Amino acid sequence: MKLWSDSFKNGAAIPAEFAFAEPDAATRVRLAGNRNPHLAWDDIPPGTASLVLLCIDGDAPTVGTDVNQEGRTLPVELPRGDFYHWALVDIPPSLSSLPAGAHASGVTPRGKPGPIIANGGTHLRHGLNDYTGWFANDPDMNGRYFGYDGPCPPWNDERVHHYIFRLYAIDVAVLPVDGDFTAQQALAALHGHILDEAQIIGTYSLRSK
């Protein structure tokens, strides 16, 4: 199975139009285009009943004390974990691409609706991404963040973040998750159903050069 994007090259930087935030000389960061990138795939295996797409930042700091604090930096060796930016499930095998901006365009305070979204004649489901927890205590931004919301690494992080877009071909038409499921729940539900997978990785940083 192959996966690629016209929005960025594998291993290269993701343009700011596909990020949640971008650098700003006066305020450190500002909201960015937050468009989902173009993705396309082929060579899905026989027996594929649906596809599942995840986007994961594997470089998210697990200790948040110094995140975005003036006079502090997050060292490269700081412990890291996963932050989920997107979970899209029940993608029919007949679909071979997702256009840029089709599922996210601009930052939506309190989050986009979900989980069911119309996609022409098909119905896909978006999971909750990890901005739901990140903004939980922010009175202006708290809400339920379904679908894609792009990169926004700490502006004082010395590590460049890597964003994994991973596509799974699975043997069931409907992923066994119910209701307002999370990206982590979608990942767990994949076990025992994966026929093949493919991924591409883009990088992003808000740290001043």
Side-chain angles (χ1 to χ4, degrees):
M1 194 161 70
K2 299 176 183 175
L3 176 66
W4 69 92
S5 176
D6 292 342
S7 300
F8 64 94
K9 299 299 183 184
N10 186 35
I14 298 172
E17 68 175 291
F18 304 109
F20 194 93
E22 62 186 334
D24 182 272
T27 62
R28 294 286 191 183
V29 296
R30 61 175 178 243
L31 296 180
N34 201 43
R35 303 175 72 224
N36 69 275
H38 162 270
L39 293 167
W41 52 87
D42 61 14
D43 294 344
I44 64 173
T48 298
S50 71
L51 301 159
V52 171
L53 176 67
L54 300 177
C55 176
I56 308 164
D57 172 11
D59 296 306
T62 58
V63 179
T65 308
D66 293 334
V67 168
N68 297 335
Q69 297 297 309
E70 291 286 352
R72 305 287 184 89
T73 61
L74 306 181
V76 171
E77 63 273 13
L78 188 76
R80 307 290 169 149
D82 292 336
F83 188 102
Y84 291 82
H85 286 264
W86 198 5
L88 179 60
V89 309
D90 304 345
I91 304 169
S94 58
L95 197 65
S96 60
S97 67
L98 298 174
H103 293 289
S105 185
V107 172
T108 303
R110 303 189 187 281
K112 296 181 289 296
I116 296 174
I117 57 170
N119 186 73
T122 63
H123 289 280
L124 315 179
R125 287 186 296 160
H126 270 145
L128 290 163
N129 66 52
D130 282 350
Y131 282 108
T132 302
W134 178 255
F135 287 126
N137 296 316
D138 186 325
D140 297 319
M141 295 292 286
N142 71 79
R144 301 176 69 73
Y145 284 75
F146 288 95
Y148 178 79
D149 285 296
C152 185
W155 53 257
N156 62 339
D157 200 341
E158 294 180 350
R159 180 184 292 198
V160 174
H161 286 221
H162 296 76
Y163 296 83
I164 303 166
F165 292 81
R166 185 175 293 143
L167 186 72
Y168 298 89
I170 63 174
D171 62 1
V172 291
V174 177
L175 189 72
V177 286
D178 298 318
D180 295 349
F181 64 93
T182 66
Q184 294 92 328
Q185 289 170 332
L187 181 61
L190 288 169
H191 291 300
H193 296 292
I194 299 171
L195 301 174
D196 200 359
E197 61 185 81
Q199 70 178 34
I200 58 172
I201 299 174
T203 64
Y204 198 74
S205 176
L206 291 171
R207 186 164 168 77
S208 300
K209 301 296 186 283

